[in-house]
């Protein structure tokens, strides 16, 4: 955690040596205090309140310690305040006494309410308290504030749900899925190719509630996962649809700053908007793609990635969203692809053609990405590896024979083989991705996990470091690095990395557990006790596992020190 201790006592002058020495407390190595904070939102609208949850755990030495801790915690000071944010109010501190493994502590919690005053990247003020004659400062991090005009809400009517019906030719079973689409023109509806591929029927629900069946397409771009469907402009205009405008592309050099971007989709048939940060420096190959932190899920595919004024940047094609409590580190990634090449094909087309004809035209089904999306659908809906899946996989392998320079198709091949449980083939594909495009961070992260699980720690460290060069997955990579460092008994380095992870998510139980193991190896028993008490509020199972490790000497980590080496030499014969 970003916790800094500076003495509140007077500094001592070493006049004879000509430099200043600051007094240092022993608690700096194994402090009796842990302080952390977390925000309930990382992206906020200007004028919208948000919370900073401040918590402290203090080991008790006497009843006076409780009173001193409450007093210190109630007098939180804001340091380095930014003009872009103000504190609206601070709630009264709450306390409770905790005890685990013979260690007694007081837990203090306090909520501070802030409000963003201007758009942009805002650094939150540092929070500082004085405890036992030392100043402890915590830096909560940053929030991204945005403004959104009324025009944005009006344009959201152009984003509609679509229901796609398919039939498995092998099993004859039918199934449905819900996706999202948006109007880019009165006669053109854009969605993801994988949403409508091999569709038997595509039903579009217009803003006035009327269903329309889409049967024809203007163009299909499987490489970028984009499809442009034909719609009757008269029906669309009658429903009151105003097409979304396409954002103008910025010059290539204007890519340094982060910016807030939005999705507006229909997961599960219900409208949901998300706000996230665009990662300007992240890339996934040679084609234009927007990578952001929007938490999208099934059903958001095919929707637009929007700027704050409602202009379309790209089409949401892929998202990784994690959930499931304290055992999962939530670091979302949303990938949106460029729709301009598909629109260019639409503008040069003689007219729309039937969707069935488009899917069955010569050479279409043999394209690598078409084969990949077909396999994804088959694997997702089949429980066993049957002959139809084997045949489709063989066709896919044949289709990528001459696609050696495309990292995207090799990544999809790796994903498919991971879904099938064939890790050797999957890892070979991910390695080829990095050979073609070193900055392809998902492949580097997956390979890093494999090297970690295979006890190839130095290789894992190199891959996790490679992942951290760009912003997406930087905390997942930091956690992987920490685990690799622990296997090599570099506990000090692991503690620092786990602090970075816990700055991002103070309630990530595996990081708290592994950090406690590092503290035990380093002899920092007070810090380990505080981590155990914190775990009791986050994950009972992880807290019990830590208690078991502490009780069982053989399970505790040890620092392995290098033994002195003897020197052997020959003396000259006399």
């Amino acid at each position: 955690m970003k916790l800094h201790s500076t003495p509140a006592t007077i500094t001592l002058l070493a006049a004879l040596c000509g430099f200043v020495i600051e007094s240092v407390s022993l608690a700096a190595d194994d402090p009796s205090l842990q302080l952390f904070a977390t925000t309930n939102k990382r992206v906020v609208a200007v004028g919208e309140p948000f919370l900073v949850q401040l918590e402290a755990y203090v080991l008790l030495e006497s009843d006076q310690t409780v009173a001193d801790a409450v007093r210190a915690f109630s007098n939180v000071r804001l340091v380095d305040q930014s003009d872009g944010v103000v504190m609206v109010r601070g709630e009264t501190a709450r306390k409770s006494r905790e005890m685990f493994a013979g260690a007694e502590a007081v837990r203090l919690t306090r909520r501070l309410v802030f409000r963003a005053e201007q758009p942009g990247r805002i650094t939150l003020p540092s929070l500082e308290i004085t405890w036992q004659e030392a100043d402890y400062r915590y830096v909560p991090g940053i929030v991204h504030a945005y403004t959104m005009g009324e025009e944005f809400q009006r344009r959201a009517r152009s984003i509609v749900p679509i229901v796609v019906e398919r039939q498995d030719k092998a099993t004859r079973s039918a199934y449905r899925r819900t996706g999202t689409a948006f109007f880019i023109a009165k006669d053109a509806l854009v969605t993801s190719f994988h949403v409508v591929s091999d569709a038997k029927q595509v039903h579009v629900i217009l803003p006035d509630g009327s269903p329309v069946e889409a049967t024809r397409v203007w163009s299909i771009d499987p490489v970028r996962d984009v499809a442009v469907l034909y719609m009757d402009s008269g029906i669309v205009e009658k429903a009151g649809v105003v097409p979304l405008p396409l954002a103008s592309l910025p010059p290539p050099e204007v890519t340094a700053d982060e910016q807030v971007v939005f999705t507006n989709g229909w997961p599960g048939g219900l409208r949901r908007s998300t706000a996230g940060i665009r990662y300007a420096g992240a890339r996934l190959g040679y084609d234009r793609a927007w990578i952001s932190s929007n938490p999208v899920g099934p059903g958001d595919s095919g929707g637009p990635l929007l700027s704050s004024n409602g202009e379309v940047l790209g089409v949401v094609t892929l998202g990784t969203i994690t959930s499931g409590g304290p055992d999962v580190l939530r670091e979302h990634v949303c990938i949106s692809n460029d729709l301009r090449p598909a629109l260019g094909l639409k503008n040069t087309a003689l007219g729309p053609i039937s969707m069935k004809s488009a899917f069955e035209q010569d050479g279409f089904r043999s394209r690598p990405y078409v084969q990949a999306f077909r396999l994804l659908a088959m694997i997702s809906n089949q429980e066993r590896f049957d002959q139809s899946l084997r045949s489709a996989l063989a066709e896919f392998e044949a289709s990528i024979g001459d696609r050696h320079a495309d990292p995207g198709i090799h990544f999809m091949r790796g994903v498919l083989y991971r879904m099938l449980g064939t890790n050797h083939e999957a890892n070979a594909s991910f390695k080829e991705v990095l050979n073609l495009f070193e900055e392809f961070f998902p492949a580097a992260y997956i390979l890093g996990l494999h090297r970690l699980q295979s006890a190839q720690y130095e290789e894992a460290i190199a891959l996790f470091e490679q992942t951290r060069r760009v912003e997406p997955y930087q905390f997942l990579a930091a956690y992987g690095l920490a685990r690799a460092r622990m296997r090599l008994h570099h506990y000090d380095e692991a503690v620092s990395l786990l602090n970075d992870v816990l700055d991002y998510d103070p309630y990530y139980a595996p990081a708290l557990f592994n950090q406690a193991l590092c503290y035990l190896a380093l002899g920092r028993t007070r810090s380990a006790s505080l981590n155990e008490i914190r775990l009791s509020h986050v994950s009972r199972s992880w807290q019990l596992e830590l208690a078991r490790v502490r009780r069982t000497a053989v399970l505790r980590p040890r620092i392995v020190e290098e033994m002195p080496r003897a020197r052997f030499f020959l003396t000259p014969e006399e």
Side-chain angles (χ1 to χ4, degrees):
M1 65 187 67
K2 298 183 181 69
L3 182 62
H4 311 285
S5 175
T6 58
T9 56
I10 300 175
T11 59
L12 303 176
L13 289 176
L16 293 177
C17 299
F19 57 87
V20 177
I21 302 174
E22 292 187 331
S23 61
V24 179
S25 169
L26 281 175
D29 292 329
D30 193 13
S32 59
L33 166 71
Q34 285 189 10
L35 173 70
F36 63 94
T38 183
T39 59
N40 68 328
K41 296 179 181 179
R42 292 186 174 92
V43 181
V44 298
V46 170
E48 176 186 7
F50 61 95
L51 295 175
V52 173
Q53 175 84 7
L54 184 63
E55 292 193 38
Y57 289 80
V58 184
L59 287 178
L60 293 182
E61 298 172 357
S62 66
D63 289 337
Q64 184 61 38
T65 306
V66 178
D68 292 343
V70 172
R71 187 181 307 109
F73 200 67
S74 299
N75 294 321
V76 174
R77 299 183 296 278
L78 303 184
V79 184
D80 303 325
Q81 294 193 58
S82 169
D83 294 335
V85 66
V86 296
M87 191 177 84
V88 179
R89 70 178 185 276
E91 298 182 358
T92 303
R94 299 181 181 181
K95 71 176 187 297
S96 61
R97 295 179 73 149
E98 316 283 340
M99 187 168 182
F100 279 94
E104 189 173 8
V106 59
R107 178 189 183 221
L108 301 163
T109 61
R110 191 178 180 196
R111 297 198 306 177
L112 309 177
V113 182
F114 288 85
R115 183 178 65 241
E117 295 287 287
Q118 62 188 34
R121 178 188 174 113
I122 300 173
T123 301
L124 294 176
S126 302
L127 307 172
E128 186 177 86
I129 67 171
T130 299
W131 169 251
Q132 294 182 344
E133 297 187 348
D135 295 331
Y136 290 86
R137 181 181 297 183
Y138 190 89
V139 184
I142 61 173
V143 294
H144 297 265
Y146 63 88
T147 56
M148 186 183 295
E150 295 181 359
E151 185 68 14
F152 186 99
Q153 300 297 336
R154 186 179 69 85
R155 288 175 176 175
R157 286 177 51 83
S158 299
I159 305 165
V160 296
I162 60 174
V163 179
V164 179
E165 296 183 9
R166 289 191 180 91
Q167 186 176 40
D168 190 309
K169 293 182 180 180
T171 62
R172 298 293 181 182
S173 59
Y175 56 95
R176 287 186 172 194
R177 68 166 297 172
T178 300
T180 304
F182 59 94
F183 286 94
I184 202 71
K186 291 184 179 179
D187 63 348
L189 184 71
V190 176
T191 188
S192 288
F193 165 67
H194 78 262
V195 172
V196 297
S197 64
D198 289 329
K200 185 178 180 181
Q201 289 183 312
V202 177
H203 304 283
V204 180
I205 311 301
L206 296 178
D208 62 359
S210 58
V212 178
E213 186 174 352
T215 59
R216 291 188 282 176
V217 299
W218 284 109
S219 61
I220 298 174
D221 183 359
V223 174
R224 297 169 186 83
D225 194 15
V226 178
V228 184
L229 311 183
Y230 168 79
M231 298 295 292
D232 188 312
S233 59
I235 297 175
V236 172
E237 189 171 1
K238 184 179 179 181
V241 172
V242 178
L244 295 175
L246 190 63
S248 58
L249 290 179
E253 64 272 12
V254 185
T255 58
D257 296 332
E258 294 177 338
Q259 64 182 30
V260 181
V261 290
F262 306 88
T263 67
N264 198 310
W266 290 85
L270 300 174
R271 183 186 290 277
R272 186 191 66 159
S273 299
T274 72
I277 303 302
R278 181 173 67 90
Y279 299 118
R283 298 178 62 200
L284 287 176
Y286 313 113
D287 281 333
R288 179 179 295 277
W290 284 262
I291 303 170
S292 60
S293 64
N294 300 76
V296 297
D300 282 307
S301 293
L305 184 74
L306 300 166
S307 64
S308 59
N309 58 2
E311 294 180 338
V312 178
L313 297 169
V315 183
V316 175
T317 60
L318 179 66
T320 59
I321 183 170
T322 54
S323 60
D327 287 359
V328 178
L329 185 63
R330 288 171 285 276
E331 195 168 7
H332 308 309
V333 170
C334 170
I335 299 170
S336 306
N337 287 339
D338 193 4
L339 68 159
R340 290 164 182 79
L343 291 179
L345 293 174
K346 182 256 183 187
N347 293 333
T348 59
L350 298 177
I353 62 174
S354 73
M355 197 173 300
K356 183 177 180 180
S357 298
F359 293 153
E360 295 179 355
Q361 60 185 321
D362 290 342
F364 182 80
R365 291 188 179 275
S366 63
R367 296 182 187 180
Y369 283 94
V370 175
Q371 293 282 349
F373 286 123
R374 179 189 174 201
L375 272 168
L376 283 171
M378 292 179 70
I379 295 172
S380 299
N381 291 282
Q382 289 185 219
E383 296 182 355
R384 57 192 179 88
F385 196 90
D386 61 9
Q387 185 56 44
S388 62
L389 188 55
R390 293 178 189 274
S391 299
L393 188 60
E395 292 176 14
F396 172 66
E397 290 288 359
S399 72
I400 65 173
D402 58 349
R403 301 285 294 189
H404 298 300
D406 187 347
I409 196 63
H410 286 285
F411 182 75
M412 291 194 71
R413 181 179 183 271
V415 171
L416 288 168
Y417 276 111
R418 274 179 64 90
M419 294 173 69
L420 293 171
T422 312
N423 289 329
H424 178 75
E425 289 289 343
N427 293 329
S429 294
F430 295 137
K431 188 174 181 179
E432 181 62 22
V433 171
L434 296 180
N435 289 337
L436 294 169
F437 195 81
E438 187 179 3
E439 298 175 9
F440 209 109
F441 64 92
Y445 176 70
I446 294 172
L447 274 178
L449 287 179
H450 173 72
R451 297 291 188 264
L452 179 64
Q453 293 162 0
S454 303
Q456 298 170 295
Y457 302 127
E458 295 294 347
E459 293 88 341
I461 287 171
L463 287 162
F464 288 136
E465 290 285 10
Q466 183 175 335
T467 306
R468 293 184 80 196
R469 292 175 192 168
V470 293
E471 290 178 280
Y473 287 176
Q474 60 177 310
F475 299 106
L476 286 166
Y479 182 64
L481 272 172
R483 292 171 62 194
R485 293 295 185 192
M486 289 177 66
R487 301 300 189 275
L488 296 173
H489 310 291
H490 300 165
Y491 297 111
D492 279 322
E493 296 177 35
V495 166
S496 178
L497 289 162
L498 291 168
N499 277 338
D500 290 340
V501 175
L502 292 170
D503 281 340
Y504 175 74
D505 184 357
Y507 305 105
Y508 183 43
L512 283 169
F513 173 83
N514 281 293
Q515 192 179 60
L517 295 186
C518 293
Y519 287 148
L520 290 173
L522 295 168
R524 297 171 59 177
T525 56
R526 288 190 293 182
S527 295
S529 296
L530 288 172
N531 272 47
E532 184 174 353
I533 295 171
R534 284 175 62 180
L535 273 173
S536 69
H537 293 277
V538 176
S539 171
R540 181 64 171 166
S541 59
W542 283 100
Q543 183 269 320
L544 291 173
E545 179 62 19
L546 180 57
R548 187 175 74 89
V549 170
R550 296 187 65 161
R551 289 193 308 267
T552 311
V554 72
L555 296 178
R556 297 175 201 160
R558 295 284 190 271
I559 292 182
V560 179
E561 297 183 357
E562 186 176 3
M563 296 293 290
R565 298 181 182 180
R567 295 181 61 192
F568 295 90
F569 57 90
L570 296 175
T571 58
E573 294 182 2
E574 296 182 356

